[in-house]
């Protein structure tokens, strides 16, 4: 298999978190870019899930294992603890059952990785201050045609994890593919959060 | 016609070694009708076995004569440049034991009596078919199939192959199938069987000697089956409430187009299909349940398999619903096997596995393209 060397910026940061030879479930895997890269470069055993049949065809073309399923009702296909990493990339903001999917991710996997557009990004805040719903590079839709129904900020997301008995193990906030370390919830447009069940000490 | 395998000639393979069937019955010898397309490569690694469903047979692709109106039953899928590409694969179609298209079945002569087997023909199970197909593979010198592919009852054979002969298949493509029939599905089969068995011309299965055919029963069985192979929506879209004459006739003759269609399908089928074969095929469906030998655990059954799997289902298929394919997928995942799964949106109900919905053809093409690369 040809090694894909370039990876979309946000996927690159996800890939960095994933240990070689681990078992990876990629939820909303789309064209399988992340999985293909991980299989070629980190020798992971990966499975993708997507609801769109065209994604299934593309992934099968790339010789990836992929399951067509709607994740809104959970991850019934998968047994408890079958994965080391469960990835949900730029999808959670368009899902109905946010709490269920987070719980399901940590049922079937040890470690979850979620990326989402940070609604707290200053440009979004600025557009709201000006009286309009934000449209930006990570939120490229108008309010009336957006598939996104559950926007949150970096701060909101970690609060939800805490409520669900989960802990943040790592967090990177990006803007245009580069990490933002200063005031990330204000200056970063895309967040990556790695999480697991809160350890009882 | 450049994407057709063209004119093909069926071959009859004779197996003189007796076979003991799952029921305990023994057939002293048997014959299988076979068609092949494409060339078997030097290391015999490019063979694909096509397993047929209830009413299928060995004539899977191409034409027998230039005058044939219709090609083999899966010609849309098999041929040069098609998803099952005969430029790359050696494709085998076989009429299963108990069939009525030339393989040994109930209408064949029983060597013990010199009369057609009729009611004396033993019940055959999916695993018995797999056994006869394996013997065919032995004769062809094929140690391992690149893939075993089937829809519906054919998918059950592909599943059984992966469990019984894990070393002998690289890929199993299980389409519009199920790990076992539902109660409702068995119930449909029994109504079909009752239609045949209660036809006065069935004569307990020995109608051949009476020079008659239980045509009415077979026709009803097919009409019922046909309803279950289509979706409510698909049927409604095609026939609606259309009347043949445009007016109510206030009688019991054919009035609605759907009646005309079903009767035509029933008559056509009753003229060519054997009633005993119909009974046998439905029983093979009913009995299929590989988990039964593994403490009821399908995952445990699938743990025997070494093949990689492609499972495909169709949204409007209610006879072999997507939920049944998901059971297969779940069992394979639980057993840590390699599987991809596509749930194709289609109007065509169970029949969709024989149709050409674009995403279905695309996923088959993509998967088999990789199979071809793997063995090249």
């Amino acid at each position: 298999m040809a090694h894909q060397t370039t990876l979309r910026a946000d996927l690159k940061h996800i890939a960095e978190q994933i240990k070689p030879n681990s078992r990876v479930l990629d939820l909303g895997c789309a064209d399988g870019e992340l999985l293909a890269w991980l299989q070629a470069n980190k020798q992971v055993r990966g499975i993708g899930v997507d609801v769109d049949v065209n994604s299934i065809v593309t992934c099968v073309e790339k010789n990836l294992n992929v399951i067509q399923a709607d994740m809104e009702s959970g991850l019934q296909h998968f047994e408890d603890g079958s994965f080391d990493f469960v990835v949900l990339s730029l999808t959670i903001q368009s899902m109905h059952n946010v709490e269920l999917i987070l719980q399901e991710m940590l049922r079937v996997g040890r470690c979850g990785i979620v990326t989402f557009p940070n609604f707290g990004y200053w440009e979004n805040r600025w557009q709201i201050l000006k009286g309009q719903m934000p449209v930006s590079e990570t939120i490229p839709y108008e309010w009336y045609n957006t598939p996104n129904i559950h926007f949150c900020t970096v701060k909101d997301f970690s609060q939800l994890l805490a409520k669900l008995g989960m802990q943040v193990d790592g967090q990177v906030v990006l803007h245009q593919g580069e990490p933002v370390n200063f005031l990330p919830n204000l200056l970063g447009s895309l967040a990556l959060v790695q999480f697991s069940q809160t350890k009882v000490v | 016609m450049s994407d057709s395998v063209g004119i093909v000639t069926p071959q009859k393979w004779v197996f003189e070694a007796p076979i003991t069937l799952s029921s305990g019955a023994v057939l002293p010898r048997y014959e299988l009708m076979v068609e092949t397309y494409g060339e078997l490569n030097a290391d015999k690694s490019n063979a694909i076995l096509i397993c047929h469903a209830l009413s299928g047979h060995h004539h899977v692709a191409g034409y027998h004569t230039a005058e044939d109106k219709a090609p083999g039953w899966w010609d849309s899928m098999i041929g040069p440049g098609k998803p099952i590409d005969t430029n790359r694969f050696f494709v085998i179609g076989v009429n299963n034991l108990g069939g009525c298209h030339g393989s040994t079945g109930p209408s064949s002569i029983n060597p013990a009596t010199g009369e057609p087997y009729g009611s004396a023909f033993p019940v055959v199970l999916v695993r018995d078919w797999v056994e006869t197909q394996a013997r065919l593979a032995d004769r062809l010198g094929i140690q391992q199939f690149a893939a075993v592919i089937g829809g519906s009852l054919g998918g059950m054979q592909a599943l059984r192959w992966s469990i019984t002969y894990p070393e002998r298949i690289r890929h199993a493509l299980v389409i519009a199938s199920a790990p076992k029939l539902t109660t409702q599905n068995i119930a449909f089969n029994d109504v079909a069987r009752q239609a045949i068995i209660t036809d006065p011309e069935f004569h307990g299965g020995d109608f051949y000697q009476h020079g008659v055919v239980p045509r009415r029963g077979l026709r009803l069985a097919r009409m019922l089956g046909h309803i279950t192979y289509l979706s409510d929506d698909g049927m409604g879209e095609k026939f609606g409430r259309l009347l043949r004459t445009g007016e109510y006739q206030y009688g019991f003759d054919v009035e609605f187009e759907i009646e005309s269609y079903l009767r035509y399908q029933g008559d056509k089928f009753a003229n060519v299909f054997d009633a005993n074969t119909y009974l046998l095929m439905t029983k093979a469906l009913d009995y299929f349940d590989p988990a039964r030998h593994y403490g009821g655990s399908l995952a445990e059954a699938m743990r025997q398999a070494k093949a990689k799997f492609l499972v495909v289902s169709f949204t409007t298929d209610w006879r072999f619903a997507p939920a049944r394919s998901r059971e297969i997928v779940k069992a394979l995942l639980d057993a840590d096997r390699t599987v991809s799964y596509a749930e194709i949106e289609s109007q065509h109900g169970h029949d969709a596995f024989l149709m050409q919905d674009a995403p279905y053809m695309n996923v088959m093409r993509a998967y088999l393209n990789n199979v071809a690369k793997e063995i090249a």
Side-chain angles (χ1 to χ4, degrees):
Chain A
M1 185 191 283
H3 284 225
Q4 283 177 273
T5 46
T6 52
L7 201 54
R8 210 174 69 205
D10 58 316
L11 298 182
K12 196 180 99 202
H13 288 277
I14 296 173
E16 278 169 10
Q17 314 296 322
I18 289 172
K19 295 187 178 65
N21 303 308
S22 51
R23 299 212 54 186
V24 179
L25 180 65
D26 187 359
L27 302 173
C29 62
D31 64 0
E33 185 182 352
L34 176 66
L35 273 182
W37 190 92
L38 287 171
Q39 279 186 196
N41 297 284
K42 288 203 170 180
Q43 292 71 50
V44 304
R45 294 190 59 198
I47 301 179
V49 175
D50 208 286
V51 71
D52 178 6
V53 75
N54 296 314
S55 299
I56 304 301
V57 172
T58 309
C59 287
V60 168
E61 273 167 6
K62 293 180 179 169
N63 223 345
L64 301 169
N65 303 321
V66 65
I67 307 292
Q68 189 176 353
D70 182 357
M71 299 174 297
E72 289 288 5
S73 45
L75 304 171
Q76 301 95 326
H77 284 298
F78 305 102
E79 286 287 277
D80 295 2
S82 359
F83 298 95
D84 301 306
F85 294 92
V86 182
V87 176
L88 183 64
S89 157
L90 292 179
T91 304
I92 201 161
Q93 77 281 358
S94 63
M95 293 190 67
H96 282 99
N97 295 311
V98 170
E99 289 170 80
L100 175 69
I101 194 65
L102 293 173
Q103 281 158 340
E104 282 285 89
M105 286 173 77
L106 290 192
R107 177 183 67 79
V108 304
R110 217 164 32 77
C111 174
I113 299 175
V114 166
T115 65
F116 56 90
N118 175 26
F119 206 72
Y121 174 54
W122 72 269
E123 216 176 296
N124 298 336
R125 301 188 194 198
W126 176 239
Q127 289 185 45
I128 286 182
L129 269 181
K130 287 196 298 182
Q132 289 211 284
M133 282 299 284
V135 178
S136 65
E137 80 179 59
T138 49
I139 311 176
Y141 300 96
E142 298 288 348
W143 66 272
Y144 50 82
N145 64 11
T146 182
N148 300 326
I149 51 174
H150 281 134
F151 279 126
C152 67
T153 68
V154 175
K155 203 167 157 184
D156 289 329
F157 191 72
S158 36
Q159 277 178 4
L160 175 60
L161 290 181
K163 183 196 147 198
L164 296 173
M166 300 169 184
Q167 66 180 30
V168 175
D169 297 324
Q171 178 176 297
V172 190
V173 185
L174 305 168
H175 185 62
Q176 296 183 335
E178 295 301 320
V180 176
N181 297 315
F182 178 66
L183 298 177
N185 196 27
L186 185 64
L187 301 180
S189 55
L190 195 149
L192 182 160
V193 179
Q194 185 172 337
F195 60 100
S196 61
Q197 299 289 2
T198 303
K199 311 282 181 295
V200 184
V201 188
Chain B
M1 290 269 287
S2 62
D3 64 350
S4 167
V5 298
I7 304 289
V8 291
T9 310
Q11 317 146 26
K12 181 174 275 186
W13 288 73
V14 181
F15 296 82
E16 295 291 353
I19 183 166
T20 304
L21 303 169
S22 305
S23 66
V26 177
L27 282 177
R29 70 186 288 284
Y30 59 96
E31 299 169 348
L32 294 179
M33 290 300 288
V34 175
E35 274 181 23
T36 67
Y37 324 103
E39 299 290 329
L40 188 59
N41 63 8
D43 58 358
K44 301 185 174 182
S45 63
N46 70 332
I48 287 184
L49 176 67
I50 307 293
C51 301
H52 69 74
L54 197 154
S55 62
H57 43 67
H58 56 285
H59 183 36
V60 185
Y63 300 82
H64 284 158
T65 69
E67 287 74 44
D68 284 5
K69 281 195 217 109
W73 58 266
W74 216 8
D75 193 83
S76 57
M77 193 63 81
I78 299 160
K82 289 180 182 170
I84 302 174
D85 188 347
T86 50
N87 290 329
R88 306 165 91 179
F89 295 113
F90 176 66
V91 181
I92 303 167
V94 54
N95 183 212
N96 281 334
L97 192 66
C100 56
H101 292 87
S103 294
T104 300
S107 58
S108 309
I109 299 299
N110 181 351
T113 62
E115 298 281 339
Y117 275 102
S119 60
F121 198 87
V123 166
V124 283
L125 267 57
V126 167
R127 59 196 310 176
D128 298 325
W129 289 333
V130 167
E131 194 54 42
T132 58
Q133 290 159 358
R135 289 187 183 189
L136 174 66
D138 293 341
R139 291 271 288 273
L140 290 162
I142 296 160
Q143 183 46 44
Q144 186 185 54
F145 283 108
V148 176
I149 306 178
S152 191
L153 177 56
M156 291 174 166
Q157 291 162 62
L159 269 183
R160 175 42 80 185
W161 258 100
S162 74
I163 297 167
T164 305
Y165 290 110
E167 310 285 350
R168 297 195 71 173
I169 81 171
R170 296 180 70 87
H171 295 268
L173 281 72
V174 181
I175 306 162
S177 196
K180 62 180 181 217
L181 289 195
T182 57
T183 320
Q184 186 195 47
N185 222 326
I186 295 171
F188 276 123
N189 281 344
D190 195 48
V191 175
R193 282 192 294 267
Q194 286 299 309
I196 291 169
I197 290 168
T198 58
D199 186 320
E201 298 195 314
F202 182 64
H203 295 286
D206 295 314
F207 50 88
Y208 315 99
Q209 286 89 326
H210 294 80
V212 293
V213 171
R215 187 170 279 113
R216 281 165 291 179
L218 200 47
R219 177 172 179 267
L220 280 177
R222 184 59 169 180
M223 287 170 76
L224 172 72
H226 219 89
I227 297 167
T228 70
Y229 304 149
L230 302 176
S231 72
D232 192 11
D233 283 355
M235 223 184 205
E237 206 163 279
K238 193 166 173 188
F239 303 104
R241 292 179 53 86
L242 281 178
L243 294 163
R244 296 189 76 199
T245 62
E247 292 294 337
Y248 286 180
Q249 300 298 315
Y250 306 105
F252 300 106
D253 255 349
V254 177
E255 286 192 63
F256 291 94
E257 285 293 354
I258 183 62
E259 297 174 311
S260 163
Y261 173 77
L262 284 177
R263 291 181 197 197
Y264 170 75
Q265 292 294 339
D267 286 334
K268 196 171 79 167
F269 189 74
N271 286 333
V272 295
F273 209 81
D274 180 81
N276 284 312
T277 292
Y278 201 93
L279 301 181
L280 287 178
M281 295 285 165
T282 58
K283 277 311 249 193
L285 277 162
D286 291 0
Y287 286 134
F288 183 73
D289 181 9
R292 196 164 165 262
H293 305 281
Y294 297 91
S297 163
L298 185 62
E300 211 41 53
M302 297 324 299
R303 222 179 286 283
Q304 315 307 311
K306 291 189 170 159
K308 295 178 178 173
F309 290 80
L310 176 67
V311 178
V312 180
S313 72
F314 300 92
T315 49
T316 55
D317 182 354
W318 54 282
R319 188 93 197 241
F320 289 78
R324 314 310 317 288
S325 284
R326 282 186 226 125
E327 287 173 33
I328 299 172
V329 172
K330 169 126 180 56
L332 287 166
L333 289 169
D334 290 354
D336 208 11
R337 301 299 101 146
T338 301
V339 55
S340 284
Y341 172 58
E343 203 167 292
I344 307 292
E345 206 166 302
S346 169
Q347 282 287 300
H348 295 117
H350 186 51
D351 269 353
F353 84 89
L354 298 167
M355 303 298 183
Q356 299 179 64
D357 290 297
Y360 171 44
M361 301 304 274
N362 291 342
V363 81
M364 292 291 284
R365 185 183 296 278
Y367 193 90
L368 287 158
N369 187 35
N370 284 321
V371 176
K373 280 194 226 158
E374 192 181 287
I375 53 163

